[in-house]
Amino acid sequence: MKLALVGIGKIAVDQHVPAITASLDWELAATVSRKGHVEGVESFAAIEAMLAARPEVEVVSLALPPVPRFAYAWAALQAGKHVMLEKPPGATLAEVHALQALAEERGLTLYATWHSRMAHAVAPAKAWLQSKTVTRAHITWREDVRKWHPGQDWVFEPGGMGVFDPGSNALSILTKILPTPVHLTAADLDFPSNRQTPIAARLTFSGNVTADFDWRQEGHQTWDIEVETNEGQLALRMGGNVLEIDGNTVAGTSSIMGEYPALYARMAELVRLGESDVDLSPMVHVSDAMTLGRRASVDPFSF
Ligand code: NAP
């Protein structure tokens, strides 16, 4: 299938382009980006120009930040294209609901991707937890924003999500693996005094579940989810790529490179089946944290 990739920035270059070009399902037919391009692929500065010039493109994959993404998704669906959304799927829940309704009305596939759900050890972790009672869970997601989002001021603008940009990856795993859903009950959010979104957050959920997100972590980076149950302990490390049961590594690999190929394989499957896949549960937790969160002002942040 012919695919157009929109937003040729960090994640497009690091993950989308290698996954698309390595797949037998896809042909990268065009790109849309104001500045970026992919060598050997026709590039357009505006999505309307691409849609008009390349009617044979069937699928549009949006690797833009969340705030500008809605207008692009809407235009693509209106033009009869199936659409794949980077995470988090939108700047607000309501705009994703609007996209869902339009896709359904037009009989098109809408896929709200959560790349961390495709990490190697997530499926075995879900299977292990399925028959157990969770007594406690804790997420530690501490990384260096300067390393992973160099110079990306949009993450600190309204709708950029701040530390919930990576935190939503953890929440996408949590919502996938827990046998019983939880809901947020309290949050503490640290806003740099010169920024609009939090740089750190501590969350409390029902069911004795807690989370610690921090974007100021230099040196060693931590992406762990630890779960205690009535029948032993599980830990997902390396962003869901390594599974430990009672302290022993039982599955996974420390590479994250399988996640985007798995997303594109899933998109091909959804288009063939004529289905959509839009799970907003990780974003509901983010939205609830912004609603319930107690805000503190912390040191200003600059890249
Ligand atoms: P990015 O490099 O800052 O942005 C991607 C591209 O989007 C930019 O190169 C830019 O291309 C275009 N863009 C940015 N702002 C725009 C605007 N206001 N209007 C139109 N186009 C705009 O960001 P990224 O790191 O790739 O992240 C993009 C999405 O991928 C985010 O939702 C993020 O959560 C997700 N993601 C990122 C990572 C990561 O490690 N960075 C990992 C997984 C997922 P042009 O200027 O050429 O138009």
Side-chain angles (χ1 to χ4, degrees):
M1 283 174 277
K2 291 190 183 347
L3 177 141
L5 181 62
V6 181
I8 306 303
K10 186 171 188 323
I11 198 62
V13 170
D14 289 356
Q15 297 289 345
H16 288 256
V17 173
I20 295 163
T21 51
S23 166
L24 295 177
D25 289 317
W26 300 106
E27 177 192 332
L28 183 54
T31 62
V32 178
S33 209
R34 297 163 309 179
K35 296 189 287 278
H37 70 278
V38 175
E39 212 177 314
V41 179
E42 188 178 9
S43 70
F44 296 84
I47 189 160
E48 293 75 13
M50 186 278 293
L51 293 170
R54 301 295 301 273
E56 78 283 12
V57 165
E58 297 165 80
V59 172
V60 174
S61 177
L62 299 175
L64 299 156
V67 167
R69 202 181 301 132
F70 174 79
Y72 288 77
W74 188 263
L77 290 169
Q78 287 283 13
K81 312 301 175 191
H82 307 289
V83 169
M84 190 168 162
L85 304 169
E86 249 298 353
K87 51 68 40 173
T92 68
L93 292 162
E95 69 179 34
V96 187
H97 288 142
L99 295 176
Q100 257 184 305
L102 181 59
E104 195 175 337
E105 182 190 308
R106 299 288 167 99
L108 296 165
T109 292
L110 180 68
Y111 181 21
T113 67
W114 295 104
H115 66 86
S116 291
R117 285 186 172 178
M118 296 301 192
H120 299 287
V122 170
K126 180 179 172 65
W128 190 84
L129 284 171
Q130 200 168 19
S131 57
K132 300 185 174 61
T133 302
V134 172
T135 53
R136 179 182 169 271
H138 183 69
I139 300 171
T140 309
W141 223 254
R142 291 176 157 256
E143 62 174 57
D144 184 350
V145 63
R146 290 188 176 91
K147 178 176 165 105
W148 302 103
H149 294 272
Q152 293 180 2
D153 281 310
W154 64 262
V155 298
F156 288 114
E157 288 299 307
M161 313 271 171
V163 77
F164 290 110
D165 178 278
S168 65
N169 297 338
L171 296 173
S172 75
I173 296 176
L174 184 82
T175 47
K176 185 82 179 168
I177 65 173
L178 284 187
T180 307
V182 296
H183 60 271
L184 188 119
T185 57
D188 288 293
L189 310 176
D190 295 342
F191 283 71
S193 57
N194 60 339
R195 299 287 185 167
Q196 298 291 323
T197 61
I199 198 163
R202 292 159 300 283
L203 312 180
T204 306
F205 298 86
S206 59
N208 204 15
V209 175
T210 49
D212 171 19
F213 300 158
D214 203 315
W215 238 352
R216 297 165 296 193
Q217 179 79 27
E218 293 177 2
H220 180 71
Q221 311 281 286
T222 307
W223 301 284
D224 288 349
I225 300 177
E226 290 164 330
V227 186
E228 293 174 16
T229 78
N230 58 333
E231 295 174 60
Q233 298 186 356
L234 170 153
L236 276 171
R237 308 211 184 274
M238 294 298 297
N241 281 290
V242 172
L243 175 62
E244 292 173 9
I245 303 292
D246 296 329
N248 302 310
T249 302
V250 296
T253 146
S254 57
S255 167
I256 62 161
M257 292 310 282
E259 296 175 14
Y260 280 78
L263 292 180
Y264 277 96
R266 173 76 176 138
M267 183 63 182
E269 178 186 55
L270 287 170
V271 173
R272 284 193 196 103
L273 293 171
E275 293 177 3
S276 287
D277 181 345
V278 181
D279 176 9
L280 293 179
S281 57
M283 219 174 135
V284 168
H285 291 320
V286 174
S287 194
D288 286 355
M290 294 295 205
T291 305
L292 270 185
R294 185 172 292 279
R295 293 167 186 235
S297 183
V298 299
D299 288 346
F301 177 86
S302 54
F303 281 105

